[in-house]
């Protein structure tokens, strides 16, 4: 980030700001999270790069989501999803697309999740399941793990553990096979929640504790209380 400033390189600076934004987001550092999100918006305007625009909208939308401003998150992430979907459709047509766009594959996932909390559960569920289908079709195991995490978060939030179970179990198995520690710890804590709600309290609590300990070991803090619920 500092090197980008010294070189006055807006592209280098944008992606450094993006990395710092996510670092602060998962740690719950509210002020620097907002600052780095806004910096991406300003840099995207400067570069005119459409992928930078998508990245900045992603950052703004997720920042609003974790701040509890679900209406704002829905507005921003709807626009971001429109851009992202255009890229996905271009790939389906066989057009060349900048591979950086797929870093933003969680955009529709957060939009679907935000729609649930903004009072539009059916629309949110549709968006999430469509995004999951896209992730499956991509052949990218990491994108699939992320999508599975968001889908079972939806079922967690509407308190349907048995509906969540197949998504959770698939994600746990996938993350173990591929060594995806970050998503794997979240999935393990979710499995613990499913097990507790299904009457397997001791086993479930053990998995909850293991999952939460692993999640905290990554340095992440957001949303720790949610993961424990």
């Amino acid at each position: 980030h500092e090197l980008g400033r010294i070189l006055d390189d807006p592209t280098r600076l944008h992606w450094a700001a993006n990395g710092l934004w996510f670092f602060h987001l998962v740690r719950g550092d509210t002020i620097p999270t907002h600052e780095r999100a806004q910096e991406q918006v300003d840099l995207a305007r400067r570069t005119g790069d459409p992928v930078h625009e998508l990245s900045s909208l992603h950052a703004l939308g997720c920042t609003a989501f974790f701040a509890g401003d679900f209406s704002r998150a829905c507005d921003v992430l709807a626009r971001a999803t429109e851009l992202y979907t255009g890229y996905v459709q271009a790939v389906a047509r066989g057009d060349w697309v900048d591979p950086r766009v797929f870093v933003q594959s969680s955009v529709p996932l957060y939009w679907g999740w935000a729609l649930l909390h903004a009072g539009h559960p059916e629309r949110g569920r549709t968006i999430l399941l469509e995004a999951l289908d896209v992730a499956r079709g991509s052949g990218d195991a990491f994108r699939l793990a992320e999508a599975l995490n968001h889908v079972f978060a939806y079922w967690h939030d509407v308190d349907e553990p048995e509906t969540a179970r197949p998504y959770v179990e698939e994600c746990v198995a996938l993350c173990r096979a591929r060594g995806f520690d970050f998503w794997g710890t979240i999935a393990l804590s979710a499995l613990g929640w499913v097990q507790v709600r299904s009457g397997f309290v001791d086993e479930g609590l053990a998995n909850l504790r293991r999952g939460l300990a692993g999640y905290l070991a990554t340095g992440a803090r957001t949303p720790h209380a949610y993961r424990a619920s």
Side-chain angles (χ1 to χ4, degrees), residues 93-163:
R93 293 193 302 269
D95 297 343
W96 182 88
V97 170
D98 190 323
R100 296 174 302 167
V101 74
F102 295 111
V103 176
Q104 315 304 323
S105 61
S106 65
V107 163
L109 299 170
Y110 275 106
W111 183 34
W113 201 7
L115 282 165
L116 166 64
H117 291 285
H120 307 286
E122 294 82 7
R123 179 65 173 146
R125 181 172 65 248
T126 298
I127 295 296
L128 281 164
L129 293 177
E130 288 175 351
L132 176 60
D133 286 343
V134 171
R136 288 194 190 282
S138 73
D140 186 325
F142 192 83
R143 287 170 63 189
L144 177 57
E146 184 176 26
L148 288 166
N149 264 278
H150 281 80
V151 171
F152 66 62
Y154 176 97
W155 294 116
H156 171 279
D157 293 354
V158 297
D159 198 26
E160 294 193 24
E162 288 308 313
T163 308

Side-chain angles (χ1 to χ4, degrees), residues 25 30 33-34 59-73 222:
L25 178 75
T30 305
T33 297
H34 282 81
L60 277 183
C62 290
T63 299
F65 178 91
F66 284 108
D69 189 349
F70 300 118
S71 178
R72 170 67 171 158
T222 303

